[in-house]
Amino acid sequence: MKLSKTIGVVALLLVAGIAWVAADNAYFRPRPVKFTVPAGWPQPVYDFKSNPLTQEGIALGRELFYDGRLSKDGNFSCGSCHQQFGAFDTYDHNLSHGFDNSFTTRNAPGLFNLAWQKEFMWDGGINHLDLQPLAPLTAPNEMAETLENVMAKLKADKKYRLLFKAAFGDETINTQRMNKAISQFVLTLVSSNSKYDKVKRGEASFILPEQLGYDIFKKKCNSCHTEPLFTDFSYRNTGLKADPYLNDVGRMKITGNPADSLKFRVPSLRNVARTFPYGHDGRFFSLSSVFEHYRNGMTVMHNTDSLLQHKLALSNFEIGQLTAFLYTLTDSSFLTNPRFAPPGSENIGKAPVDIHL
C-alpha cells in the first residue's frame, strides 16, 4: 500500500513538472513579426523560413549589435562602425576603426535592405547574412575576438541567458543563435521611405532640378545603380587605382581571377547624401569628387567596366541636377528611427553639422 502511494505521488509530481515546463515554454513563446516588402520591390532572397522574425529575436539581435563586449577590448560593437546617422556605414572616416584603435582596410558599407542581398562586403567574400558577423568578430584589426570568448561572455551574463530564452525557447547560447538574432535585427533595417519612394507612391512630386536629375540618372547611372534598390549587386572595375598602402585588389581576393582585379560591389545610392566618404576605402569625401572621378579622374584599365571605357560624360549642369535627385534618396525616417538606435539610448540619429557637396 505504501509503495503504491509513493508511486502515485511521484507520478503526480512528474505530471506537475511536465505541466510547469510546458507552461514555462508557452510563456516564452516568441511573437512573430511579419516582414513587409515595399510595394513594387522584388521578393527578398533571404530565407525567412529558416530564421523567422520575432520580436524577441530582433530585440536580442539589437542588444548584440550594440554590445562592445563582443570585441576583444570591449570598445567596438557592430554599431561602432555601422552608425545609424550614416545609414549604418562608417560616417566621416575613410577607414573604419577596430581593436586597439587600429585601422581596418575599408570603409564599412551601409547596412540596409539586406534581405535582398546574396553576398556581403565590398568583395562579396561572405555569401550568407547569417555568416556575416563571423568575419568582423574574428578579424584582428576589427573586433579581434574569438568565438569561444564571445560565447563565454554571453553565457556569463544573466540578461543574455534570459534574452536567448525569450528568443529561442531556452537558455542555450551558441554561435548559430547569436548570428541568427543579429540577422533578425539587421533584416529590419529597411530603407524605403525617401522622397523618391513617396514620389513613386504618388505622395509627393519632384521639383524641377530633381526631375531633370532623375531623367539624367536613368540615362547614365541606372544600368549599375538599378531601381528600386539602386544597385544591381554586381562587381565592377570603375577605374580606381589601388591604394599603394592598402593594395586592395577587391573581388580578385575572393575569386583569384585576375579579371576581377580592382572590382568592388556597386553600392546602393539610397541615403547617399549620408554615406560619405565614398568608395571601398573612403577616398572620396564628397559627391562632387565622385562625379569628377567618373568624368576626368578614372584610370581606364583592360578590365574597367565596359560602360565606363570612355569615362562618363557629365557637364556641370548635369552634375547639379543629378545631385538634386540623389538627395531625394535620403530616408530621414530610417536614419532617425529609434527602433534601430542602441537599446535605451537617446541618440536617435543626430548627425554632426557637416555638408559634403
Side-chain angles (χ1 to χ4, degrees), residues 29-45:
R29 183 172 295 168
R31 294 163 290 181
V33 171
K34 183 182 179 183
F35 184 85
T36 302
V37 179
W41 286 34
Q43 287 299 307
V45 297

Side-chain angles (χ1 to χ4, degrees), residues 204-251:
S205 56
F206 289 136
I207 60 174
L208 181 59
E210 296 168 344
Q211 183 60 56
L212 292 174
Y214 186 36
D215 295 339
I216 297 167
F217 173 85
K218 287 188 285 188
K219 291 177 182 175
K220 299 195 174 186
C221 312
N222 200 34
S223 296
C224 304
H225 297 284
T226 311
E227 302 170 73
L229 296 163
F230 287 88
T231 173
D232 64 355
F233 299 112
S234 64
Y235 303 89
R236 298 174 188 257
N237 180 317
T238 58
L240 292 171
K241 289 194 293 186
D243 182 293
Y245 298 101
L246 300 174
N247 196 28
D248 189 344
V249 295
R251 183 68 174 163

Side-chain angles (χ1 to χ4, degrees), residues 104-277:
T104 66
T105 57
R106 291 174 178 168
N107 181 276
L111 299 182
F112 49 86
N113 303 337
L114 300 177
W116 289 268
Q117 195 169 325
K118 291 181 179 177
E119 296 165 343
F120 303 88
M121 304 176 71
W122 283 101
D123 53 21
I126 304 293
N127 60 8
H128 196 294
L129 182 61
D130 295 352
L131 300 177
Q132 171 59 35
L134 302 180
L137 278 172
T138 57
N141 60 347
E142 295 190 49
M143 299 168 85
E145 193 46 289
T146 65
L147 293 177
E148 182 182 15
N149 284 344
V150 171
M151 290 301 108
K153 293 177 192 176
L154 298 181
K155 289 175 182 176
D157 189 323
K158 182 180 179 181
K159 181 185 74 175
Y160 271 118
R161 294 199 298 272
L162 294 175
L163 288 173
F164 273 82
K165 181 176 181 178
F168 297 106
D170 61 60
E171 293 186 359
T172 302
I173 295 176
N174 56 36
T175 305
Q176 184 187 49
R177 285 184 170 185
M178 176 186 72
N179 288 351
K180 285 195 169 187
I182 293 174
S183 287
Q184 287 195 40
F185 171 63
V186 297
L187 283 164
T188 67
L189 305 179
V190 175
S191 179
S192 62
N193 197 34
S194 64
K195 180 174 182 179
Y196 162 85
D197 296 299
K198 293 174 183 174
V199 171
K200 288 293 180 180
R201 295 196 298 259
E203 301 167 4
S205 56
F206 289 136
I207 60 174
L208 181 59
E210 296 168 344
Q211 183 60 56
L212 292 174
Y214 186 36
D215 295 339
I216 297 167
F217 173 85
K218 287 188 285 188
K219 291 177 182 175
K220 299 195 174 186
C221 312
N222 200 34
S223 296
C224 304
H225 297 284
T226 311
E227 302 170 73
L229 296 163
F230 287 88
T231 173
D232 64 355
F233 299 112
S234 64
Y235 303 89
R236 298 174 188 257
N237 180 317
T238 58
L240 292 171
K241 289 194 293 186
D243 182 293
Y245 298 101
L246 300 174
N247 196 28
D248 189 344
V249 295
R251 183 68 174 163
M252 179 180 161
K253 181 180 177 183
I254 304 304
T255 66
N257 185 350
D260 289 332
S261 175
L262 298 175
K263 288 185 178 179
F264 296 91
R265 196 188 65 213
V266 175
S268 173
L269 294 181
R270 285 185 172 272
N271 300 298
V272 69
R274 285 291 191 89
T275 57
F276 62 87

